[in-house]
Amino acid sequence: MIKKISSIFWVATLSLFSLSAFAQEEYEGIPLTIQSVFGIITGLACWFTRFALVLMVVMIVFYGIKFMMSQGNQTKFDEAKKSFTWALVGVLVILGTYTIIATVANGLGSNYTLTPLDCSGF
């Protein structure tokens, strides 16, 4: 199954690159600066964060229901506790993407300021 998915991925990738060779017009590129690269990364992080936080809220509610359904069964309770803990770790990692982006940008010498969770421009 994984082999089929891998081959489909490579065929799609090669098809996209080969289609670009048949382009009739030449386009002058947009100058790519470090600021625009970090802007693109921030936009992707904003989109991913919105999607993932909604998913995490759903999963935390689901794990809360698993806590209630354990009804004193220690094995089910431990499983629900472990799942809930990893859901919270996932939320922290997702919220930490903004800090990671700002740290990398400033480490590369970019004057890039990032207000956490301010995705109003994206």
Side-chain angles (χ1 to χ4, degrees), residues 49 65 74 77 85 96 104 120:
T49 302
I65 292 171
Q74 189 63 34
F77 179 80
T85 302
V104 170
S120 59

Side-chain angles (χ1 to χ4, degrees), residues 58-120:
V58 170
M59 293 310 292
I60 287 173
V61 169
F62 175 73
Y63 295 139
I65 292 171
K66 281 181 73 171
F67 270 117
M68 291 188 300
M69 298 295 285
S70 68
Q71 298 178 349
N73 185 346
Q74 189 63 34
T75 306
K76 288 183 178 180
F77 179 80
D78 290 340
E79 180 182 321
K81 183 179 175 183
K82 182 179 177 183
S83 301
F84 186 75
T85 302
W86 282 111
L88 291 178
V89 168
V91 168
L92 291 175
V93 168
I94 290 167
L95 294 177
T97 57
Y98 295 98
T99 305
I100 293 168
I101 291 169
T103 302
V104 170
N106 289 329
L108 292 175
S110 174
N111 187 14
Y112 188 75
T113 58
L114 179 69
T115 305
L117 295 178
D118 183 21
C119 295
S120 59

Side-chain angles (χ1 to χ4, degrees), residues 5-15:
I5 293 173
S6 177
S7 61
I8 290 171
F9 170 76
W10 286 113
V11 167
T13 303
L14 291 174
S15 298

Side-chain angles (χ1 to χ4, degrees), residues 34-49:
I34 191 89
Q35 293 295 109
S36 62
V37 170
F38 285 119
I40 292 169
I41 293 171
T42 303
L44 289 173
C46 285
W47 179 84
F48 175 73
T49 302

